[in-house]
Amino acid sequence: MPSPEVVARLHEIAVACSSNNTDASPSLEDLLEIRRRAAASKQGLGSDAVRTQLARLQTARQRQMSAPVPSSPSGGGVAPTPAADDAIRHLRAGRETDAFSLFWHIGQTHTPTEIRDVVASYTIAREAEAADAVLASASERGAEDILRITASLLEAQRHHDAAALVEAALQRIG
């Protein structure tokens, strides 16, 4: 993670290089905010933190075991995003740290619909740990995002996943 000083220097260089088109460069304040958010979310990338998040979500999921799991994703079987495909390749190759970093990224940055479709695809492919890792990451988002993701999961009748997400988020808060 670059220091704020390095971010400021990189911004200065980028502005100097794009002197003809200053509208294309983000402000230094925007870059520092992105850096702050990345530093805050990086806490979730450590192997212990990922395992803790997964354990929290899997505990929540066990409470929901009686709910049926749909056999296909909503929207006619939308394919997972390229990051999701890469994450599965890393997981299958035994590169768990790389895989969980991508799962974390998906849960933190993808839209509610994309998260729903990725989780459904992982479930169908019998990659339960991958689905849980994405939901665990999503449970770390803000309340409004969690509600949007939950609504998307409920629209697709993924009640089990929605309940696990909410339960994991509540465990984090409480």
Side-chain angles (χ1 to χ4, degrees):
M1 183 69 56
S3 70
E5 294 78 23
V6 170
V7 172
R9 180 67 181 130
L10 290 171
H11 179 263
E12 183 181 312
I13 293 168
V15 168
C17 291
S18 64
S19 60
N20 296 337
N21 189 5
T22 56
D23 292 339
S25 298
S27 70
L28 177 57
E29 292 78 24
D30 290 343
L31 290 176
L32 290 173
E33 176 61 17
I34 291 168
R35 185 214 172 270
R36 186 196 64 74
R37 287 183 185 171
S41 71
K42 189 166 175 57
Q43 298 170 18
L45 293 179
S47 60
D48 291 343
V50 169
R51 292 292 173 201
T52 300
Q53 293 162 351
L54 272 172
R56 187 180 68 238
L57 188 107
Q58 289 168 345
T59 298
R61 191 178 284 288
Q62 287 174 357
R63 294 181 187 169
Q64 308 300 325
M65 290 303 283
S66 61
V69 177
S71 60
S72 64
S74 170
V78 176
T81 63
D85 290 342
D86 287 344
I88 291 297
R89 280 193 283 280
H90 285 305
L91 190 63
R92 289 180 180 160
R95 295 185 301 270
E96 283 192 353
T97 302
D98 295 334
F100 285 117
S101 292
L102 287 171
F103 295 143
W104 176 261
H105 172 77
I106 291 166
Q108 287 292 300
T109 63
H110 282 46
T111 67
T113 303
E114 290 170 333
I115 289 172
R116 175 200 65 208
D117 292 341
V118 165
V119 168
S121 295
Y122 286 166
T123 302
I124 292 165
R126 300 184 192 273
E127 296 286 353
E129 189 174 38
D132 286 351
V134 171
L135 287 175
S137 173
S139 76
E140 298 286 325
R141 289 173 75 158
E144 288 183 19
D145 287 345
I146 291 169
L147 290 175
R148 287 185 188 105
I149 296 164
T150 301
S152 183
L153 290 166
L154 290 173
E155 286 173 10
Q157 298 182 0
R158 301 208 52 87
H159 304 281
H160 188 240
D161 293 330
L165 173 64
V166 170
E167 178 76 22
L170 289 173
Q171 286 178 24
R172 175 181 59 90
I173 294 167

